[in-house]
């Protein structure tokens, strides 16, 4: 039986899962592939810690160059994460004619152009299903079964840490800081959760989805990115009163010769399928011109689902090797000569409905002043809640707007927040209730 030889860089949680899967289901993989996937070398700085899985003597090394330069290795699996040395390792592997499988969304979001171009020149594969949605097969679906569609939108709940936090806040009325602490204790959040809770991890994944859906190069820094640290229990409760749930949503939309690419807390209707995606689960919703709306749902992170996606890519590459084919499908699904550079629409030009929560002095005429300022900037009010007077001198006033341009909303809020009756900066959350 033909043997396809693998080299693994990174023996952490996901790397360990890949080794376990190859060992447990090796016979099944051989039956489906008609060849064996043989792991020859694993490179990691730490080769002494017990991972709960055994490998033969001589497999482990601290020198990644041993596998990068090994002519017997057909596929390099990069699972160390981050930008460097991952970028250098991947480019060296490609230069040596090796196929790449990676779960590194940050690397591809920032350095994908360089990597895809190098792979096309060498005729090797770069597959990265595990980089978005863990075990959810969304990238292969976009490049494969749904490839004949023009996509209008791609939306995603793409970070399990944020979704777990928002779910707990919604169900229990808990505060953000308390839920984050619990998430860290349970292992759902890192000791330093910044990339997760500030939306960066989600933006990395959105960059890949937008590139695949719309066939465009994406400059990561142009993606408007906000996290969930400013979401409070009071906003969660008001959202429910209006019939919405707050999610950290990745939004990609085609708008003529431009695209929208933004990540931020978003209110979506309670009866919308994405609103039912709770806990650490992820979901991606695509809208194609022929297939219509499609939603994929599943475990978006963790050892086993991510390892499943990595090994699925290995099998895909193995099939191409067996057939003597390289670059059967381009790295982002579009032939390199057809890839465009579509501008990302500035956030100020985006249009949506808005939730606005004002913290105002409990005085007559405050609401009239706020409404007047909104009207001056062409922002109309759809609905409103003003809580009953209490012993506090400050009361929340919540306004839901009709569709408005973000730039106009920001100008109106700058004016309103300068009023002497406004006690805190106004809270803004965008609303998406027409997602087709």
């Amino acid at each position: 039986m033909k043997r396809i030889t693998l080299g693994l860089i990174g023996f952490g949680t996901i790397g360990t899962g890949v080794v376990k899967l190859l060992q447990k289901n090796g016979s099944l993989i051989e039956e489906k592939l008609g060849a064996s996937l043989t792991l020859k070398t694993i490179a990691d700085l730490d080769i002494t810690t017990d991972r709960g899985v055994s490998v033969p003597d001589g497999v482990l090394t601290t020198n990644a160059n041993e596998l990068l330069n090994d002519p017997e290795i057909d596929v390099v699996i990069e699972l160390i994460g981050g930008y460097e040395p991952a970028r250098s390792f991947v480019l060296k592997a490609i230069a040596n004619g090796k196929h790449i499988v990676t779960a590194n969304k940050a690397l591809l979001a920032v350095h994908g152009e360089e990597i895809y171009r190098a792979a096309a020149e060498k005729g090797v594969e770069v597959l990265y299903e595990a980089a978005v949605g863990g075990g959810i097969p969304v990238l292969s679906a976009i490049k494969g079964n749904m490839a004949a569609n023009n996509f209008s939108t791609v939306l995603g709940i793409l970070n399990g840490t944020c979704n777990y936090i928002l779910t707990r806040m919604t169900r229990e009325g808990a505060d953000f800081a308390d839920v984050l602490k619990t998430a860290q204790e349970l292992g759902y959040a890192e000791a330093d959760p910044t990339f997760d809770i500030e939306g960066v991890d989600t933006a990395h994944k959105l960059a890949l989805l937008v590139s695949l859906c719309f066939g465009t190069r994406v400059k990561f820094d142009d993606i408007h990115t906000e996290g969930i640290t400013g979401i409070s229990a009071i906003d969660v409760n008001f959202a429910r009163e209006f019939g919405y749930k707050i999610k950290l949503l990745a939004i990609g939309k085609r708008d003529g010769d431009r695209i929208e690419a933004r990540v931020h807390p978003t209110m979506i209707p309670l009866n919308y399928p994405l609103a039912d995606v709770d806990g650490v689960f992820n979901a991606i919703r695509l809208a194609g011109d022929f297939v219509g709306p499609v939603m994929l749902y599943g475990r978006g992170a963790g050892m086993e689902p991510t390892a499943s996606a990595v090994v699925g890519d290995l099998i895909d590459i193995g099939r191409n090797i067996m057939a003597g084919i390289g670059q059967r499908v381009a790295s982002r699904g579009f032939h390199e000569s057809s890839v465009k550079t579509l501008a990302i629409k500035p956030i100020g030009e985006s249009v949506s409905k808005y939730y606005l929560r004002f913290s105002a002095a409990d005085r007559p005429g405050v609401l009239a002043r706020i409404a007047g300022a909104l009207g001056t900037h062409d922002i109309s009010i759809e609905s409103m809640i003003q809580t009953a007077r209490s012993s506090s001198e400050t009361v929340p006033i919540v306004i839901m707007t009709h569709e408005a341009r973000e730039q106009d909303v920001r100008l109106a809020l700058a004016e309103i927040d300068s009023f002497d009756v406004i006690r805190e900066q106004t809270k803004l959350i965008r609303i998406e209730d027409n997602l087709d």
Side-chain angles (χ1 to χ4, degrees):
M1 180 175 285
K2 181 175 176 60
R3 184 175 72 173
I4 295 169
T5 307
L6 315 174
L8 169 63
I9 306 177
F11 200 20
T13 300
I14 307 306
T16 300
V18 169
V19 174
K20 287 182 176 180
L21 179 50
L22 290 172
Q23 291 181 351
K24 181 180 179 181
N25 291 351
S27 297
L28 175 66
I29 293 168
E30 289 180 10
E31 292 173 2
K32 294 186 175 183
L33 180 58
S36 66
L37 295 178
T38 302
L39 187 58
K40 181 180 181 183
T41 308
I42 300 173
D44 196 281
L45 293 176
D46 174 12
I47 59 174
T48 60
T49 298
D50 183 8
R51 271 81 169 183
V53 62
S54 61
V55 296
D57 292 340
V59 169
L60 293 171
T61 180
T62 58
N63 183 5
N65 286 313
E66 288 185 23
L67 67 88
L68 294 174
N69 294 324
D70 186 342
E72 292 187 359
I73 290 179
D74 303 299
V75 187
V76 170
I77 311 162
E78 183 277 305
L79 296 176
I80 58 175
Y83 304 129
E84 286 291 355
R87 170 184 164 276
S88 297
F89 288 160
V90 166
L91 289 173
K92 185 170 185 178
I94 291 171
N96 288 338
K98 303 183 188 306
H99 303 285
I100 302 295
V101 172
T102 181
N104 194 338
K105 61 269 184 180
L107 174 68
L108 296 178
V110 176
H111 298 292
E113 292 306 314
E114 180 182 20
I115 291 168
Y116 301 152
R117 185 168 56 249
E121 291 172 356
K122 292 294 290 188
V124 298
E125 306 277 355
V126 176
L127 297 185
Y128 46 97
E129 185 64 67
V132 179
I136 304 172
V138 60
L139 305 189
S140 57
I142 293 170
K143 292 192 289 184
N145 284 24
M146 292 190 284
N149 284 263
N150 278 308
F151 292 103
S152 57
T153 62
V154 55
L155 309 164
I157 296 171
L158 301 175
N159 186 273
T161 299
C162 289
N163 206 40
Y164 170 82
I165 291 171
L166 291 172
T167 298
R168 288 278 310 277
M169 291 177 70
T170 300
R171 290 177 178 173
E172 303 166 19
D175 290 327
F176 172 84
D178 294 336
V179 181
L180 173 59
K181 183 179 179 181
T182 302
Q184 290 172 315
E185 292 170 352
L186 294 173
Y188 294 149
E190 301 287 344
D192 180 0
T194 304
F195 262 36
D196 291 325
I197 63 175
E198 295 297 348
V200 178
D201 174 78
T202 299
H204 283 147
K205 297 169 184 175
L206 178 62
L208 303 185
L209 288 169
V210 164
S211 184
L212 265 68
C213 285
F214 306 128
T216 181
R217 301 173 183 87
V218 176
K219 185 177 179 182
F220 177 72
D221 290 342
D222 289 343
I223 297 176
H224 178 83
T225 305
E226 297 176 24
I228 64 170
T229 55
I231 300 299
S232 66
I234 189 173
D235 298 316
V236 170
N237 291 333
F238 275 125
R240 186 186 298 109
E241 287 193 47
F242 282 105
Y244 294 95
K245 189 181 286 188
I246 300 174
K247 296 291 185 181
L248 182 69
L249 200 63
I251 300 171
K253 297 181 179 182
R254 184 69 186 261
D255 182 14
D257 59 356
R258 298 193 299 176
I259 56 174
E260 291 188 33
R262 44 193 170 95
V263 173
H264 48 69
T266 308
M267 288 189 181
I268 55 179
L270 288 171
N271 62 357
Y272 199 76
L274 278 172
D276 290 330
V277 179
D278 287 333
V280 296
F281 281 81
N282 283 192
I284 301 97
R285 182 188 187 278
L286 302 150
D289 56 350
F290 272 69
V291 74
V294 174
M295 193 171 92
L296 299 163
Y297 166 86
R299 294 164 64 189
M303 175 192 289
E304 293 177 349
T306 308
S308 172
V310 169
V311 177
D313 280 347
L314 293 174
I315 294 171
D316 201 17
I317 288 175
R319 287 172 173 154
N320 290 342
I321 291 174
M322 295 288 287
I325 300 170
Q327 275 273 324
R328 183 178 62 86
V329 180
S331 297
R332 79 184 105 215
F334 282 74
H335 193 277
E336 280 299 309
S337 64
S338 301
V339 176
K340 302 171 284 294
T341 302
L342 301 175
I344 294 180
K345 180 191 291 188
I347 189 66
E349 296 182 28
S350 66
V351 174
S352 70
K353 298 179 180 180
Y354 293 87
Y355 159 96
L356 306 174
R357 176 171 57 82
F358 305 92
S359 295
D362 189 7
R363 299 179 191 172
V366 171
L367 179 57
R369 291 184 66 186
I370 292 172
L374 292 173
T376 299
H377 293 278
D378 297 321
I379 301 160
S380 61
I381 297 173
E382 181 178 272
S383 57
M384 182 200 70
I385 294 176
Q386 183 175 11
T387 60
R389 295 191 174 194
S390 65
S391 57
S392 173
E393 294 183 358
T394 301
V395 295
I397 299 173
V398 175
I399 287 175
M400 309 292 271
T401 76
H402 288 287
E403 284 193 343
R405 190 175 63 159
E406 174 109 1
Q407 181 176 319
D408 296 331
V409 174
R410 292 292 182 183
L411 289 172
L413 294 188
E415 178 183 338
I416 293 168
D417 285 349
S418 69
F419 293 169
D420 59 356
V421 293
I422 299 298
R423 298 294 183 248
E424 297 176 6
Q425 183 176 2
T426 298
K427 182 63 187 177
L428 174 153
I429 301 177
R430 299 166 191 86
I431 302 168
E432 293 283 341
D433 57 6
N434 183 18
L435 301 180
D436 291 327

